[in-house]
Every structure is written in structure tokens, then in C-alpha cells.
């Protein structure tokens, strides 16, 4: 009787313990996470762009994708830019300039001059915000953050992309994990 009460009390106590944050986070493989980046770079809030309208210096300049995901250019209503590639955005700008009869045959280019940053938290020596430049891997991000701490779990991380609803657990395998601008990486403590 005493033993069954002890077991029941231990079970009740275990049920009352809080679960670790993101204990139920879905797990994805490195190849699944990397496959989402094959469609080309998608613009989002915080990207800084250089828009060039050839032979129209007053319409050309440097702009930032706003908090609402729109791009504000002279003469035009705000243009939804979030989720579009730079090439698709250039086509939309050209169409709007032509349909508004501002430029007869507009030739437009859009280039990214500064990507939005990525973030790395947890068991790294210098957690924080870092500039994204070109393609970067998880290992390169850890190097920028001063390497792992002695307690870091080097086999599993948590990753959140801007277009995901929640964090996902990524089991690191032999293949390098590619990062995207705006990614938030969490390196947790290893349990030995």
C-alpha cells in the first residue's frame, strides 16, 4: 500500500513538472530545411535594396522593405515586396511605371545591398544578431558567434524561419545546414 502511494505520488509529481520549451517541436532533417531555400532568395522586412530605373535617376535609389512587407517608391503606391524574388519585384515595378505612364518602356533592376540579419542564441560564446552575407551554413554562423560553449548540444538545434509558424528541431547530420536571412538558431545545452 505504501509503495503504491509512493509510485502514485511520484507519477503525479512527474506530470506536474513543466515540459522543456519546444518539447513538442516537429523534427525535420537538414535536407528538408535546405530544400526550402532552392527557390531563390525571397525578400522580407528589413532587406535593403537598390532599385535602378535606367535613364531615370530620380526614380532610382536605395530603399528598405518596410515592416508591413511593402516597398515605397516615388510616384507609386506601396508595392508588396515580401515573399517575392528581386527579379519578380523588378517586373512589378516596371509594370506599375508603365501602366501609370510615368516611363514609356521602363527597364528596372533590383539588387539586394543588405540582407536582414540572422540570430543565434543559447550555447555559443557570443549569442546575438549577425549580418547575413551570401550563403552561410550553420557551422559558419557558430564560428561568427565565437564557437560552441562546453555545454552545447552539437547534434540537435532549434531553427525558426520567418515563414514558419514555430521552431523546428533539426538533427544535424553530415550535410551542412544552410541558413536564410532572418533565421533564428537556438543551440541548447547537451544532457550527458
Amino acid at each position: 500500500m505504501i509503495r503504491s502511494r509512493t509510485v502514485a505520488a511520484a507519477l503525479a509529481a512527474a506530470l506536474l513538472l513543466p515540459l522543456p520549451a519546444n518539447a513538442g517541436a516537429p523534427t525535420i532533417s537538414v535536407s528538408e530545411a535546405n530544400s526550402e531555400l532552392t527557390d531563390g532568395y525571397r525578400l522580407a522586412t528589413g532587406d535593403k535594396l537598390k532599385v535602378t530605373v535606367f535613364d531615370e535617376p530620380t526614380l532610382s535609389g536605395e530603399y528598405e522593405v518596410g515592416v508591413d512587407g511593402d516597398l515605397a517608391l516615388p510616384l507609386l503606391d506601396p508595392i508588396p515586396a515580401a515573399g517575392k524574388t528581386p527579379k519578380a519585384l523588378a517586373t512589378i515595378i516596371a509594370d506599375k511605371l508603365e501602366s501609370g505612364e510615368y516611363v514609356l518602356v521602363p527597364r528596372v533592376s533590383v539588387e539586394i545591398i543588405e540582407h536582414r540579419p540572422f540570430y543565434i542564441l543559447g550555447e555559443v560564446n557570443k549569442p546575438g544578431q549577425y549580418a547575413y552575407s551570401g550563403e552561410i551554413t550553420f557551422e559558419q554562423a557558430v564560428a561568427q558567434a565565437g564557437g560552441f560553449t562546453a555545454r552545447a548540444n552539437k547534434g540537435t538545434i532549434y531553427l525558426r524561419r520567418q515563414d514558419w509558424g514555430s521552431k523546428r528541431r533539426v538533427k544535424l547530420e553530415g550535410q551542412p545546414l544552410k541558413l536564410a536571412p532572418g533565421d533564428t538558431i537556438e543551440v541548447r545545452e547537451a544532457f550527458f
Side-chain angles (χ1 to χ4, degrees), residues 16-97:
L16 294 175
L17 289 174
L19 289 173
N22 298 315
T27 301
I28 63 170
S29 69
V30 170
S31 59
E32 288 173 306
N34 287 348
S35 70
E36 294 188 4
L37 303 179
T38 59
D39 291 341
Y41 185 77
R42 301 286 176 172
L43 299 169
T45 298
D47 284 326
K48 293 186 177 131
L49 310 174
K50 180 178 180 184
V51 177
T52 304
V53 182
F54 295 98
D55 295 329
E56 298 292 337
T58 58
L59 298 175
S60 299
E62 293 182 3
Y63 304 94
E64 185 171 338
V65 178
V67 175
D68 55 2
D70 290 347
L71 187 67
L73 298 173
L75 303 177
L76 301 176
D77 290 333
I79 300 169
K84 296 185 176 46
T85 64
K87 185 175 182 177
L89 182 60
T91 301
I92 293 168
I93 294 169
D95 291 345
K96 289 189 175 284
L97 288 170

Side-chain angles (χ1 to χ4, degrees), residues 138 148-157 172 187-188 190:
F138 168 69
F148 291 111
T149 66
R151 297 182 307 270
N153 180 345
K154 299 173 187 171
T156 302
I157 63 162
L172 300 172
V187 178
R188 294 203 176 161

Side-chain angles (χ1 to χ4, degrees), residues 108-144:
V108 178
S109 74
V110 173
E111 60 185 290
I112 301 164
I113 55 175
E114 187 177 315
H115 296 88
R116 58 197 179 276
F118 70 90
Y119 306 87
I120 187 164
L121 312 169
E123 297 298 320
V124 291
N125 289 310
K126 293 186 264 173
Q129 170 182 314
Y130 291 90
Y132 182 92
S133 57
E135 288 189 12
I136 188 169
T137 66
F138 168 69
E139 291 83 7
Q140 293 165 333
V142 169
Q144 285 186 27

Side-chain angles (χ1 to χ4, degrees), residues 147-168:
F148 291 111
T149 66
R151 297 182 307 270
N153 180 345
K154 299 173 187 171
T156 302
I157 63 162
Y158 288 81
L159 176 66
R160 182 175 189 144
R161 295 233 155 104
Q162 286 188 321
D163 54 347
W164 293 352
S166 63
K167 292 179 185 179
R168 297 186 186 170

